[in-house]
Structures are given as C-alpha cells and as structure tokens.
Amino acid sequence: AQTVTQSQPEMSVQEAETVTLSCTYDTSENNYYLFWYKQPPSRQMILVIRQEAYKQQNATENRFSVNFQKAAKSFSLKISDSQLGDTAMYFCAFLEISNFGNEKLTFGTGTRLTIIP
Amino acid sequence: NAGVMQNPRHLVRRRGQEARLRCSPMKGHSHVYWYRQLPEEGLKFMVYLQKENIIDESGMPKERFSAEFPKEGPSILRIQQVVRGDSAAYFCASSRTRTGANEQFFGPGTRLTVL
C-alpha cells in the first residue's frame, strides 16, 4: 500500500517570503502521479499543482513549483512571494496508475501554512 | 459549468439514524469518488464508482456504509445507524475519465455531526 508522509504539521512565514513544504511517499509502482492540494478555511479542496512520475522536469504553476526527486521519493512544494491568500492546509497526494481501475488518491496528513502580514 | 455539487452542506443526526449524502458530479463526468476527512486529518478514500457500477470500495467500512451512482441522478453515500465516530467531513470528487491525466474535482463537502 502507498503511504504519504508530511512531516511538518504547521509552518508560518512572512508575506512575500518563500516557503517549502515537504512530502515523502512510499510505493513500489513506477507509474503514478503526485499532487498538492490546498484546503483554505472554506474547506474546499483546490488542486495547486500536479507532477507525472515519468516526467523528469519539475512542474511549475506561477508562484508554485515542485522539487520532485523520484529516487528519493520526495515531492516538495515551493511557494514563492507568498501571499495572505496562501494561508491554508496543504495536502500532498499520490495517485497510482492501475490497469484495474483503482484510481484512489492517497493523502498525507497535511501542513497548516500561515502567512503572516 | 457548475462544479461538483454536494448536499446538504451540514447534516446533524442522532445516534441510530440514517444519513444520506448526495453528490452531483460535474457535467460530462462519469467517475465519482468519495473521501472522508476526520478532524485534523487528511482525506481517506472510501469508494470509487462509475455509472451503475462500484469499481473500488476498499475504503468503505464493511457495515452500515453503502454507495451508489445510478444511471440518472446523483451519487448517494448512505450511512445507516450512525454512531459518533461517523462525525466527519465527507467529500465527493468527480473526473471525466479515469484519472491520472484527468483531475479529480472536489465538491465543498458535507459535514456530518452525530449527536
């Protein structure tokens, strides 16, 4: 079974600074996807960024980028020029690609990020 | 294009009652997933359904929980004889096809409180 570990329960950073959230995972699969989801106080789950395991290039979405280290099974999220609206819970998630139709996301326990004005 | 709809947003039940949670996927999406989030925890997979079929229910408790996704109408997650431990936020997600390249879009969740 896949596991996802987020070792930082809480983090805080000053507005406009850069912050990195860590995530490690364990799998024996070679084909999979990794995601970062954001959950603000509204509790809506919002996809932040996605990485395909077969792509060596790290994904980037505006201020958000990842450092994907496949051999180390590490998938960290970097938020540049942090904004107050980035305050939220951040969840790392893993999706195995299966021929049997099992398309379930496995989530980490989350990191609560607070951006300080 | 409306997003994933869930209702009710909040549901209060007394122990022993039944809870019915509804999920309408995004237009054109035929794959539905249910997840449960206990307080201060991440989401845990419960069940994956396509129209009229349960594909994977490995995350569903063996008793009292059931799910369906009929040909017409929303997907329903039913919890019979609720207990306090069922209090959680229940999220539904949908995707156009099998995921991977296709994102799972999440609804706003239903917060179930069992008194």
Side-chain angles (χ1 to χ4, degrees), chain B residues 29-60:
Chain B
H29 287 195
S30 59
H31 299 244
V32 166
Y33 316 80
W34 285 94
Y35 295 85
R36 176 165 64 176
Q37 185 178 31
L38 296 172
E40 304 303 319
E41 292 188 12
L43 280 69
K44 295 280 197 314
F45 169 80
M46 299 182 75
V47 62
Y48 163 36
L49 310 104
Q50 294 179 24
K51 285 284 187 181
E52 300 183 277
N53 286 302
I54 296 175
I55 306 302
D56 180 0
E57 57 182 345
S58 60
M60 289 275 273

Side-chain angles (χ1 to χ4, degrees), chain A residues 16-84:
Chain A
E17 290 186 348
T18 294
V19 61
T20 299
L21 310 182
S22 64
C23 172
T24 58
Y25 58 95
D26 187 22
T27 182
S28 57
E29 301 297 325
N30 195 45
N31 290 326
Y32 52 87
Y33 287 78
L34 294 161
F35 304 84
W36 279 97
Y37 280 88
K38 169 185 177 181
Q39 187 178 43
S42 67
R43 301 188 68 84
Q44 178 73 50
M45 294 291 288
I46 302 165
L47 178 65
V48 175
I49 199 164
R50 167 176 47 218
Q51 175 79 43
E52 292 91 339
Y54 63 86
K55 288 188 177 179
Q56 292 186 336
Q57 186 174 6
N58 289 325
T60 299
E61 288 287 341
N62 300 313
R63 298 182 296 108
F64 299 87
S65 61
V66 299
N67 184 5
F68 174 46
Q69 301 290 329
K70 190 172 183 179
K73 295 180 182 175
S74 170
F75 182 60
S76 62
L77 174 69
K78 185 172 82 170
I79 306 174
S80 304
D81 185 26
S82 56
Q83 300 175 358
L84 296 179

Side-chain angles (χ1 to χ4, degrees), chain B residues 39-107:
Chain B
E40 304 303 319
E41 292 188 12
L43 280 69
K44 295 280 197 314
F45 169 80
M46 299 182 75
V47 62
Y48 163 36
L49 310 104
Q50 294 179 24
K51 285 284 187 181
E52 300 183 277
N53 286 302
I54 296 175
I55 306 302
D56 180 0
E57 57 182 345
S58 60
M60 289 275 273
K62 294 287 186 271
E63 298 177 351
R64 301 188 298 108
F65 285 72
S66 63
E68 63 177 7
F69 188 17
K71 186 176 180 181
E72 302 290 339
S75 175
I76 305 288
L77 179 67
R78 179 192 298 178
I79 311 172
Q80 295 177 300
Q81 299 175 342
V82 296
V83 301
R84 288 217 174 109
D86 297 332
S87 294
Y90 292 82
F91 288 89
C92 168
S94 74
S95 67
R96 184 178 298 278
T97 62
R98 287 179 60 191
T99 318
N102 290 282
E103 176 185 345
Q104 288 187 22
F105 290 84
F106 281 82

